[in-house]
Amino acid sequence: MSLVSDTYDFWKVMTEFTVTLKQDILNRVPNGLGLAKVVFRPDSGNPIHIVCGNPNAPEGSPEHKGAVECLWDIFGGTTSEKGFRVLHERVGLIYGDSCNFQIINGILQGLKNKGFASSNIVFGVGSFSMQYATRDSLGMAQKATWAQVNGVGHNLFKDPKTDTGLKNRQKDSFVWICKMVNISILIALRQSRKKAGTQTVFLDGKLLIDQSLAEIRARVLA
């Protein structure tokens, strides 16, 4: 199980939520492949400092220790044959945001310097380490910003304390208006779903409005 953990306060997740959920995590039953690990996923900030600790942060603080040492303090682990610390088999880290080869090497070197094995983390290897063409290269991405649970609406957004503000996400509903003529996408923000004139298309896994692509194109071009 991979948990995005930086939505609001990554260090609170590492030092408080982990304590609250510790027994649940340790009690997880392995699946058919024998897997039952929970990997915490930081997704913002300086990757090396997040995992291995920031030497400029106050000594003893979670920021100074880094995520790997925070998990060690709570879950413990074992020592490998080469003398490196290995986290308890039920926990680990995964990092993918902005991970190119230089950053990955920096994280691995930082783990080594702290006496932790490289097996404590896995990396999401994507565009940053390959062609460096990201979703931002095309200026588009789709994110959930609003959800309704038991008839009550909730805004969904990120505001990571480990980030500079770049990853803060828009709250409330979006209306996407696609102009097929020049393939440009206009985004109209609305503070009310009723004002936006949106219709429910999917509900509880059921398709309520079945439209062809031709009908959609005709509507947006009208």
Side-chain angles (χ1 to χ4, degrees):
M1 178 183 292
S2 172
L3 300 177
V4 176
S5 305
D6 72 322
T7 302
Y8 301 111
D9 189 341
F10 176 73
W11 298 116
K12 188 171 184 178
V13 173
M14 286 292 97
T15 58
E16 295 183 26
F17 293 6
T18 47
V19 174
T20 301
L21 298 173
K22 179 178 179 178
Q23 206 54 51
D24 292 327
I25 292 173
L26 296 179
N27 290 341
R28 293 191 73 215
V29 178
N31 62 17
L33 297 176
L35 305 175
K37 179 177 284 190
V38 173
V39 287
F40 295 89
R41 178 185 165 193
D43 198 45
S44 56
N46 181 308
I48 299 173
H49 289 169
I50 294 295
V51 175
C52 305
N54 183 353
N56 297 319
E59 189 170 349
S61 67
E63 294 87 347
H64 186 268
K65 292 180 178 180
V68 67
E69 190 170 342
C70 288
L71 289 177
W72 177 268
D73 288 345
I74 295 166
F75 293 94
T78 59
T79 302
S80 71
E81 293 181 357
K82 293 185 178 181
F84 291 96
R85 289 182 287 179
V86 179
L87 290 171
H88 190 285
E89 62 179 358
R90 288 290 184 270
V91 292
L93 293 163
I94 181 171
Y95 215 121
D97 180 63
S98 303
C99 275
N100 55 31
F101 291 120
Q102 289 72 31
I103 289 176
I104 291 173
N105 285 332
I107 291 174
L108 295 178
Q109 185 62 52
L111 289 174
K112 180 180 179 180
N113 294 342
K114 291 176 70 72
F116 283 97
S118 60
S119 58
N120 290 307
I121 189 170
V122 292
F123 296 101
V125 180
S127 59
F128 270 73
S129 54
M130 301 300 181
Q131 296 89 351
Y132 206 77
T134 74
R135 67 186 181 213
D136 298 321
S137 301
L138 300 177
M140 64 175 294
Q142 294 186 24
K143 300 289 182 179
T145 60
W146 189 89
Q148 182 171 287
V149 181
N150 296 327
V152 180
H154 300 273
N155 288 326
L156 306 176
F157 62 97
K158 288 185 69 172
D159 186 11
K161 288 188 177 181
T162 48
D163 193 55
T164 59
L166 182 64
K167 290 202 170 187
N168 291 6
R169 291 181 183 160
Q170 176 68 36
K171 303 176 184 178
D172 220 311
S173 304
F174 283 77
V175 176
W176 292 75
I177 304 173
C178 301
K179 294 180 66 176
M180 298 298 180
V181 176
N182 57 6
I183 318 299
S184 64
I185 297 178
L186 306 178
I187 303 176
L189 303 182
R190 298 290 184 267
Q191 294 303 311
S192 168
R193 289 175 62 83
K194 292 183 179 179
K195 288 182 180 179
T198 57
Q199 291 179 293
T200 302
V201 178
F202 295 98
L203 180 63
D204 297 332
K206 297 180 181 179
L207 181 64
L208 304 181
I209 301 177
D210 192 0
Q211 303 171 89
S212 68
L213 180 59
E215 290 173 324
I216 295 173
R217 283 176 170 168
R219 184 174 70 250
V220 298
L221 292 175

